[in-house]
Amino acid sequence: MATSMRGLTQFIADIRGARVRELEEKRINKEMANIRKRFKDGNLDGYQKKKYVAKVIFTYILGYKVDVGHMEAVNLISSQKYSEKQIGYLAVTLLMHENSDFLRLVVNSIRKDLNENNEIYNCLALHAIANVGSQEMAEALAEDVHRLLISPTSQSFVRKKAALTLLRLYRKYPEVIPAAEWALRIVSIMDDMDLGVVICVTSLVMALAQDHLDAYAVCYQKAVDRLQRLVVEHEYSATYAYYKVPSPWLQVKLLRLLQYYPPTEDPTLKNVLYEVLKTVMNNCAEPSRNVQHNNAQHAILFEAIGLAIHLDTNSPLVNTATVLLARFISSKETNVRYLGLDTMAHLAARADHLDAIKRHQGTIILSLRDKDISVRRRALDLLYSMCDVDNSELVVGELLRYLKVADYGLREEMVLKIAILTEKYAGTYKWYVDTILELLSAAGDHVGDEVWYRVVQIVTNTEDLQPYAARVVFEYLKSPSSHESLVKVGGYILGEYGHLIANDPGYSPIEQFQVLHSKSQFCMAPTRSLLLSTYIKWVNVFPEIKPQLVNVFERYRHVLDVDLQQRACEFYALATRADDDELLQNVCEEIPPFPPRESALLGRLNRKHSDTEDKRTWIHGGKEANLERSSTLRTRKPTLGDVNGTGPSKPEISTDITSSLMGLDLTSSPTGNNAPGMHTDFVSAPASLLAEKGIPRLTMNTNVDRWFNKLIYTPDGVLYEDVQIQIGIKSRYHGHIGQLAVYIGNKISAPLTSFTATLLVEETDALSASFAKIAPSMIAPRTQTQQVIHVECKKPFSNPPILSVSFLAGAHQTIAIRLPIVVTKFIEQVKLGQAEFFERWKLIGGPPREAQSIFPIALNEAGHVDTTKQRQVVAGSAFSVLEGVDPNPTNIVAAGILHMSEDGKVGCLMRLEPNREAKLCRITVRSTSEVIAAEVQKLIQKPLSADAPS
Amino acid sequence: MINAVLIFNTSGVPRLTKFYTPPQQSAQTLVQKIFSLISTRQASLCNFLDAPELESFLNQSSDDGEKLRVVYRNYATLYFVFVVDSAESELGILDLIQVLVESLDRAFENVCELDLVFHFDEVHHILSEIIQGGLVLETNVEEIDNAGECSESSRFADAAKARKDSYASSNPLSLGAGVVGSRGTSIQTPLGWLTGKLTGVGAR
């Protein structure tokens, strides 16, 4: 650039040569005048425009205001020469802000560059959007940016930029980006081979996931997997090692991302995560001498400790972390001390008990006197967080002592925090009053009004405290100089409760009046008016000093301040009424207690923390503060129940339809294809709603149903198959425990990348299902991967878990299917004789512990009832078919015991009575639990019914 | 996210100012303010500065007060200053400053303050390869270097040579005897921030 623009070099050199600022300004003014003239004359070629715009930019960088060159910059962007285009973009990003009118003019040029085949132009355009993207640009270009991000033909460096550009647009104008619908596609890029791309996409996911926790839930698994690969398996390209640490930025980002989610329940993920965190902590055991290496290690370590705290404050990892932190806060490195204190504050804010931290209280208090103000601030935060009932007197005392020498910048926050701690952990009211009044006298200027309002509130509401408070405040007022806040508190408290101590020696009315009135002359008008109110109260209770008080009113009747004057006049009139007048007494009635209300102090402090962009994962303050905060956060989190809100009504509707069509008397239990009551919901709910909750849309076709129905009564078989992928199942059950091996085969000749498998269990308290290990992120061509799922049945359930599999094969695809995990799988056979069977059958009795229905059946080729299949289904559902119980040989009688870990064992008896002529079959299930009877009846009937696809 | 990247020298003269969120007041006052805050800090103090004083300068509106921190590093005559919010890891930012410096060093072969003055467009270009819209884009020095070169190759053939020429041509002027005052003197020392030396005193 420089060679081709001699004029610019000359210009820069001239400015640098200028000895004094005036010469520099002169040179610049001359140049700007020249440029203005040139631009006005027009007819400039690309090179000249570029040169002048570059000069304008340089001037701007020097800090001068520039008002020319915008239009020329816009023109340069559409130039076909890279060097001109680049200067144009630079000018646009530097000189213009997002609301600039000129940006309208560049939207089209930018779109053109986005669609260009030249990646470098793409990048320039993306970069410009990321810097100055306006709403108009967001609306016009978000789609294009997204396309560049997901297009398989995009180069890595384009995708990186596209990811961050999208993020910028989302931050500015969230409504233009359908975040939830793009979720799976975007998360899938976290598996990219290029770590640079992963970093950028992780940043994007982090921002989106905060607002759409459920939609982006898959990223949890991805992040854990990536961490494991980086930290434990050391799987990364060597160029991404920064001083031998594998991409610290990515690790930090991932660890942070995980903190936005509630701790995972999945045992496999948890184990992997703990292993990762342990490795990170061990890595830091031996500090190296290289500063950069240490820096990077520590960056990861601090984030890892944060995550460990987030996951479980009682885990052994946190103990290790506490030991490390204790070492850090007395480290020689200031940076480490600073972060050590910061992280310890996080721990204090979350931990159940603070003993481990309190052991280092001495060191922390010493840190308040660190030579670095940044460290002092962190120490203050930590002390605030670790304060509780036991150490409050010590901590607050320490803070008060420090307050007197603290930096001015720190004082206001300190005062607020001391006031809150004092109120929150006050053991005795006496201590509260002492401390707060000392606070008022020590740091008067920095005391916000909230603090003294609160004192008044508490004293008014606590009767026992009133005489003591009055006495103490009187003592404070006696000192020669007291701060105005103190005078206000004094005025209020003595006015209300001065009479309570008036009989004690040294506190007589006249003494009270003299002390208070001596302060009046140093106070502002509002304080003086408060004092006037005090005096009128005294007129009521202390008739002996009425002359002095009336005298004061009299004098104030002539002051210039309107408020004061008005009060004085009114009070004067009130005070000089006849003695038997009751008005004064009524006016000066004692103040009633305030209604209990939340401390305004906390509100003020929390306001300082309210978040705009990336949310903090914790706030300063004790455990309760954090709990409270997380519960408010959680309330807005949608639950699965919301989606299924319409659930119960749907099966009934379809029941009505079936019954009216067939004219059969059916029990109230739902029948037919809609057995898992949720199917309808998942299919009919709008896509965006499902995406928002992170619920996959179930893949539906007749094959899927047929495969599923078959697997209900067989242990092995195909669950899903299409041209690209095949999913097979092998299962084993024992009691309430089951194990499923899911075989996922890639049928095409290209690898399936960014492979993800997740399980969704709707009734988490009744059924648990989890993968034994995280699925690999890629399936090689024509190979198969096996995933083991552990299942445990705790209570009766009716919704089988959903397996959702997504992968990239050209386009991004998601398959979501129900796994054949149903109640009958947890049944074990039981052998019963005829007598025993009927005894129990009668014992259980009819409805509601009986479920019965009649359904159509198909006959086999020979025109007979397909007894073999019926037996197969019943036996496949793990019932033992009992021979010789029913006199009719075509009828099937069976028994089984359902095993559940929480609800124990439940016996189940059933009878199947097919009727060849009517092509109908009656099924009767009796069980000691009505829920189970209905559920088993549905499950057995489903594959047998003629309606079932076969 | 990163709100601003500032580079200024030990006399407070800005060499690069890049804002990812528009500042409330003028960039100039902000640089002065930050400079006055950190220039008084000794080398042994930490590289972070809680900046409640600066909040009014940076925040769009005062009531959504995200806590901002200043992370800075001093290399020879230059301060590299990042203003970040609480979502960024402080040490991570320190590392990032190191990456920025190493990238500049690669691009300019022994970078010195003069390079930042004469090649402001290229410095911005390199920065844009590392940070985009306030977020980390790339941290791999090789990649940053490549990206710089590949766009350079489309610009003109011998970028490095051109750069040297311009450096030579500007040198006599800038280092001339007539230059006095702080604005001139600071530039005469090449930074010598070779990667190897960074682990030493200069890296603090």
Side-chain angles (χ1 to χ4, degrees), chain A residues 184-235:
Chain A
L184 289 176
R185 186 66 187 85
I186 290 177
V187 172
S188 74
I189 310 175
M190 284 175 76
D191 281 323
D192 202 276
M193 303 291 285
D194 189 322
L195 282 190
V197 176
V198 180
I199 294 179
C200 297
V201 170
T202 307
S203 296
L204 174 63
V205 167
M206 207 152 111
L208 296 171
Q210 284 171 45
D211 298 337
H212 307 272
L213 269 188
D214 292 324
Y216 282 82
V218 191
C219 74
Y220 201 95
Q221 180 182 347
K222 294 278 175 210
V224 173
D225 183 46
R226 176 64 74 177
L227 278 172
Q228 188 198 17
R229 280 195 272 159
L230 284 177
V231 178
V232 183
E233 286 161 15
H234 299 288
E235 183 194 316

Side-chain angles (χ1 to χ4, degrees), chain A residues 331-478:
Chain A
S331 158
K332 259 188 279 171
E333 285 257 357
T334 323
N335 286 350
V336 173
R337 276 205 308 276
Y338 173 95
L339 292 168
L341 288 167
D342 195 33
T343 313
M344 216 177 226
H346 181 187
L347 180 59
R350 298 293 282 273
D352 292 330
H353 31 77
L354 301 164
D355 302 341
I357 302 175
K358 280 188 200 153
R359 234 172 282 146
H360 311 290
Q361 200 159 295
T363 322
I364 299 165
I365 288 174
L366 269 184
S367 306
L368 270 183
R369 291 171 171 70
D370 199 280
K371 57 185 185 235
D372 190 337
I373 183 171
S374 300
V375 176
R376 294 198 288 270
R377 276 186 215 277
R378 291 285 78 82
L380 172 62
D381 282 340
L382 173 53
L383 279 176
Y384 174 67
S385 290
M386 68 185 278
C387 187
D388 64 9
V389 185
D390 301 331
N391 61 4
S392 58
E393 298 210 6
L394 187 87
V395 169
V396 170
E398 211 38 72
L399 289 177
L400 265 178
R401 203 171 319 143
Y402 175 59
L403 178 66
K404 290 163 193 161
V405 293
D407 317 65
Y408 284 98
L410 220 57
R411 285 196 186 173
E412 192 182 337
E413 200 180 334
M414 280 194 80
V415 169
L416 214 53
K417 286 184 168 164
I418 294 175
I420 291 171
L421 289 180
T422 316
E423 184 186 329
K424 211 156 128 194
Y425 299 116
T428 58
Y429 286 117
K430 184 177 158 303
W431 179 72
Y432 173 77
V433 171
D434 287 346
T435 316
I436 289 287
L437 289 180
E438 192 183 341
L439 180 68
L440 288 178
S441 72
D445 285 337
H446 306 277
V447 179
D449 280 342
E450 297 97 321
V451 176
W452 80 263
Y453 290 167
R454 190 69 186 156
V455 181
V456 165
Q457 239 178 59
I458 287 179
V459 172
T460 311
N461 290 7
T462 321
E463 216 180 317
D464 306 345
L465 194 57
Q466 291 158 358
Y468 180 77
R471 219 167 282 144
V472 175
V473 85
F474 181 73
E475 291 303 324
Y476 269 105
L477 285 174
K478 272 207 272 188

Side-chain angles (χ1 to χ4, degrees), chain A residues 1 131 146 189 284 531 663 725 729 913:
Chain A
M1 180 199 84
N131 273 291
H146 181 240
I189 310 175
C284 292
L531 290 183
I725 194 171
I729 298 274
E913 300 156 285

Side-chain angles (χ1 to χ4, degrees), chain A residues 621-664:
Chain A
K623 194 165 180 270
E624 307 87 51
N626 276 288
L627 281 178
E628 203 173 285
R629 178 172 174 274
S630 60
S631 67
T632 51
L633 282 181
R634 208 162 296 144
T635 45
R636 56 166 198 81
K637 200 187 134 189
T639 55
L640 199 60
D642 298 345
V643 195
N644 301 325
T646 53
S649 63
K650 294 253 163 147
E652 278 167 33
I653 294 165
S654 54
T655 312
D656 287 342
I657 295 166
T658 1
S659 58
S660 61
L661 278 179
M662 294 197 241
L664 283 169

